[in-house]
Amino acid sequence: MRRWAGRWHLLLVPMAAVVVLPFVWLLLSSVMTQAELNRFPPAFWPDGVDLGGYRTVMERSNFLRWFVNSVIVSGAIVVAQVVLCSMAGYAFARIRFAGSKLVLILVIATALIPFQLTVIPTFLIFNEAGLTDTLGALIVPQLASAVGIFLMTSFFQSFPKELEEAARIDGCSRVAVFYRVVLPVARPALAALAVITFITAWNDLFWPLVAINSEDNYTVQVGLTTFQGQHRADWPAVMAGTVLTTLPVLLVFLFGQRRFVQALTGAVKG
C-alpha cells in the first residue's frame, strides 16, 4: 500500500507543478521590467528585481483604500456567515418542525439560481433603501448563504446527539448546549466556512461593479480592473497589483486548508 501511495505522489507532483506554475510566473513577472515582459519569446526569469510595478500601483492608484475596503467587507461577511449559517444549520439538523425538510431543500435550491437573474431587483431594493455606493450594499446580500447553511447542517447531522443529551440532563438549555458543547467541536466546519466565504467575498467582482460608483468605495477587484483599463500597457504594474490582491487569498487558504479538508470530510460522511 505504501508503494502504491508513493507512486500516486509521483503523479501528483507534475499536477501540482501545473497549478503552482501560473502563480510563480505572476510573482516573477511583477518584478520584471516592461522590456522583459514585451520580449519574444518572453523571459521566464528576470534579469534583476525591479519593484517599479509595485511603486506604480501605490503611487498612481488608491490601492491601500481599496484593500482596506475589501478587508472590511470580507471580514464582516465572514463573521455574519459563521454566526448565521451555524445557527441555521443547527436548527435544520436538530429542531424538527412542520416542513423543515422542505424548507431546507428550498434553501439549498436557491444556490442553483444565478445571481445575474436577481441582480436587477436586488439593485432596485438597495437603491430604494439608500445603500447603493456604500460598503453596506456589498455586505448585506452575503450575510448568509445556502452553501454555508448546507455545510453546517451536514456537519451537525454527523455530530453525536449523546453529548447534547448529556448536557441537557445537566441542566443546560438548548442555546447553552449550542454555544458551550456544539460550537467548540464544530471548529473545523466553521473554519472551512470562513475560508470559503472569505475567498468568495474577496474575489467578488460582478456585484461591486453594479453597486459601487465612487472610487473611494472600490474593493481591490474593482479597483484593479479599473487600474488595468487605465494602464493597459504597464504590465509590471498590473502584475504587481494582481500579486497584492491574490496574496491574502493564498494566505487564508494555506492556514485554513487542514480545517477545510476536515470539515468537507465530515460533511460528506454526514
Side-chain angles (χ1 to χ4, degrees):
M1 293 298 294
R2 292 184 178 179
R3 182 179 300 177
W4 281 105
R7 293 178 180 178
W8 280 113
H9 288 165
L10 292 178
L11 179 62
L12 292 175
V13 169
M15 297 176 62
V18 172
V19 175
V20 173
L21 186 60
F23 295 99
V24 175
W25 165 250
L26 175 65
L27 180 61
L28 293 177
S29 60
S30 68
V31 295
M32 290 183 183
T33 62
Q34 186 72 26
E36 289 176 320
L37 285 177
N38 292 335
R39 185 188 308 171
F40 186 83
F44 181 79
W45 195 265
D47 297 333
V49 177
D50 185 6
L51 300 180
Y54 292 91
R55 287 194 295 268
T56 301
V57 171
M58 294 300 177
E59 294 174 357
R60 299 184 184 179
S61 69
N62 201 6
F63 186 84
L64 291 179
R65 179 64 179 269
W66 303 339
F67 191 90
V68 172
N69 290 341
S70 290
V71 170
I72 294 174
V73 172
S74 301
I77 293 173
V78 167
V79 173
Q81 289 216 18
V82 166
V83 174
L84 298 179
C85 291
S86 62
M87 295 173 64
Y90 183 74
F92 282 121
R94 287 293 186 264
I95 302 176
R96 292 291 177 262
F97 55 90
S100 59
K101 293 184 178 180
L102 177 61
V103 174
L104 178 60
I105 293 174
L106 293 177
V107 170
I108 297 175
T110 59
L112 303 177
I113 303 176
F115 180 72
Q116 288 78 2
L117 296 180
T118 60
V119 64
I120 294 179
T122 302
F123 178 81
L124 294 177
I125 292 173
F126 279 84
N127 189 43
E128 290 294 330
L131 291 177
T132 54
D133 200 20
T134 64
L135 297 183
L138 308 181
I139 298 173
V140 174
Q142 302 186 64
L143 291 179
S145 67
V147 175
I149 294 175
F150 172 72
L151 176 64
M152 298 308 300
T153 302
S154 300
F155 186 87
F156 290 139
Q157 286 176 344
S158 63
F159 186 83
K161 295 182 179 180
E162 290 77 11
L163 296 178
E164 300 176 52
E165 294 173 354
R168 294 295 298 272
I169 293 175
D170 290 338
C172 290
S173 62
R174 184 178 292 274
V175 176
V177 170
F178 175 69
Y179 283 105
R180 297 180 181 180
V181 178
V182 177
L183 284 186
V185 182
R187 289 177 182 176
L190 296 176
L193 176 60
V195 171
I196 296 173
T197 303
F198 180 84
I199 294 176
T200 303
W202 186 272
N203 292 331
D204 189 18
L205 175 62
F206 180 75
W207 175 241
L209 277 175
V210 175
I212 302 299
N213 298 321
S214 60
E215 183 177 346
D216 290 339
N217 292 328
Y218 281 173
T219 60
V220 287
Q221 302 299 334
V222 179
L224 185 61
T225 301
T226 58
F227 179 82
Q228 182 176 352
Q230 296 172 358
H231 305 81
R232 191 175 299 275
D234 196 348
W235 288 112
V238 174
M239 296 299 180
T242 306
V243 169
L244 295 175
T245 304
T246 308
L247 187 60
V249 176
L250 292 177
L251 293 177
V252 168
F253 184 78
L254 289 176
F255 282 109
Q257 62 176 337
R258 180 175 299 179
R259 299 282 188 177
F260 182 80
V261 173
Q262 291 177 356
L264 290 185
T265 303
V268 172
K269 291 180 179 179

